[in-house]
Amino acid sequence: MLIASVVLYLLITIGIGLWAAQRVKNSRDYLVAGRSLPLYMSAATVFATWFGAETVLSVSATFAKDGLGGIVADPFGSSFCLIFVALFFARAFYRMDLLTIGDFYRQRYSKPVEVTTSLAITASYLGWTSAQMTALGLVFSVLSGGALSLEAGIVLGALIVLGYTIWGGMWSVAMTDLFQSVIILVGLAAVAWLVGDMAGGASKVIAAASEAGKFDFFPKAGLKEWLFFSAAWMTLAIGSIPQQDVFQRVTSAKNEKTAVRGCLIGGGVYFVFAFVPIFIAYAALIIDPGYAKLFANEDAREIQRILPNLILERTPMWAQVLFFGALLSAILSTASGALMAPTALFTENVIRPFAPRLGDKQFLLLLRVVLVAFALAALLFALNSRSTMYEMVQNAYKVTLVSCIVPLAAGIYWKRASNVGAMLSVVFGLASWGIAEMIATEATIVPPQLTGLAFSLLGMVLGSMVGQLRPRPVPHPGHEHRH
């Protein structure tokens, strides 16, 4: 019954994605859904894209282990990212009428800056996309009772997401996100109600978490702990702003007001609803304290089995169907967006500058080829990683934090920001972060990503100010102005 329900759900999702593909007539439809999404679809795509595998399986388990202080990056940092985008970036993005965020770097600075930042942003998606594929692998492995290995499940999941995203692009992402958002909200809310009752009521779960110190948020130690706490928050709150998936959701809206409101609503719903799987995970420890043994496993990924194991072992069939339907919705909606974003960016801003005469049909074909190539790269990354999904997502956004946010913010809000400043910002940020990561030890006080961000700021200021300080060319003796 459960397997049949999951298969039926997957078939419906693929069907919606392929139906949406009929709306794709050109590359603009494929990349930004023709800039025509109404508010409810705009908000749904923001929520569904953000509410992924790490939110349901990894963030919830991390809270059960480390409390609120362990999940400062997500949902706290990630929610603030959407608020920052809505308040400070959405209007600028929408008014510029661009296809990708890489186009901004070209228009504001130059082609070299466009290509460099686009490569950095594309690389950052490997971790995020791989996290979703890992989650699909985990779900299929659990559902098969171990008959399907984690690795085989990852491959199967990658093929399913690729299957419906490759044809419909952003239209498929938007349509399936709307359907999946409903499944997530209804499914997880119903399961939380059931599991809460099994644990003795919501008040008992909350009281137990409070007594265990799980609601302690801010560090209680010295400067080092505060710096790492701040860095974890900033990595998602600021580092995920210069991302193509955020940009696509803003620019796919039907107008500027919808773009801002959709981002705010999606971010708000995400922050509130992220605590539903957190509640379920902690209730699981009250129902069966034996699940805490997973925290001691050498493979960090094992803690992510708390929710799937609880649902399969302790709940009736209807709850299993709802939970795994909601979980698959969360994973698939995020995975499709995580595939589309780097595909658009790499094709438009890394390949196209070297093939400017490419026609729209050829460009559309190239988009699909790149989509397959990136899916394969993310698949290899997922098969070889031993990190939790929460760790994979955090590591992904360090790249854009140290290389792309400063040129983006300065390009919008600082008139003196120059091409030289932008290039130095990217190079200084990436180089210093890379060196800091290599030499970091347990005694390191400043997190490597904060070092990278500081040098990125320094590069922007130095490069832009040097350009302002250059002496003006001396006029030729025969061409002085006389008064």
Side-chain angles (χ1 to χ4, degrees), residues 235-247:
T235 298
L236 263 77
I238 301 174
S240 53
I241 291 174
Q243 289 286 337
Q244 175 62 17
D245 60 283
V246 178
F247 178 87

Side-chain angles (χ1 to χ4, degrees), residues 41-51 82 177 249-250 262-263 266-267:
M41 288 187 74
S42 179
T45 59
V46 171
F47 165 74
T49 299
W50 236 239
F51 199 92
L82 295 172
D177 277 0
R249 273 131 199 81
V250 169
C263 215

Side-chain angles (χ1 to χ4, degrees), residues 285-296:
L285 295 184
I286 296 174
I287 295 168
D288 185 353
Y291 288 129
K293 293 178 182 177
L294 292 171
F295 297 151

Side-chain angles (χ1 to χ4, degrees), residues 72-84:
V72 60
D74 192 3
F76 294 94
S78 50
S79 299
F80 269 90
C81 165
L82 295 172
I83 293 170
F84 291 153

Side-chain angles (χ1 to χ4, degrees), residues 213-279:
K214 299 301 180 183
F215 294 144
D216 294 341
F217 185 61
F218 295 107
K220 295 181 179 179
L223 176 63
K224 177 181 175 180
E225 285 69 23
W226 272 99
L227 286 174
F228 274 85
F229 177 85
S230 302
W233 180 80
M234 291 173 67
T235 298
L236 263 77
I238 301 174
S240 53
I241 291 174
Q243 289 286 337
Q244 175 62 17
D245 60 283
V246 178
F247 178 87
Q248 274 181 307
R249 273 131 199 81
V250 169
T251 53
S252 296
K254 66 178 183 179
N255 55 46
E256 187 179 310
K257 186 180 291 186
T258 300
V260 174
R261 289 179 176 176
C263 215
L264 282 173
I265 294 171
V269 174
Y270 170 76
F271 180 76
V272 172
F273 212 75
F275 287 93
V276 174
I278 287 173
F279 171 82

Side-chain angles (χ1 to χ4, degrees), residues 122-136:
T122 300
S124 74
Y125 274 97
L126 274 176
W128 194 34
T129 312
S130 300
Q132 311 312 313
M133 292 183 179
T134 300
L136 283 172

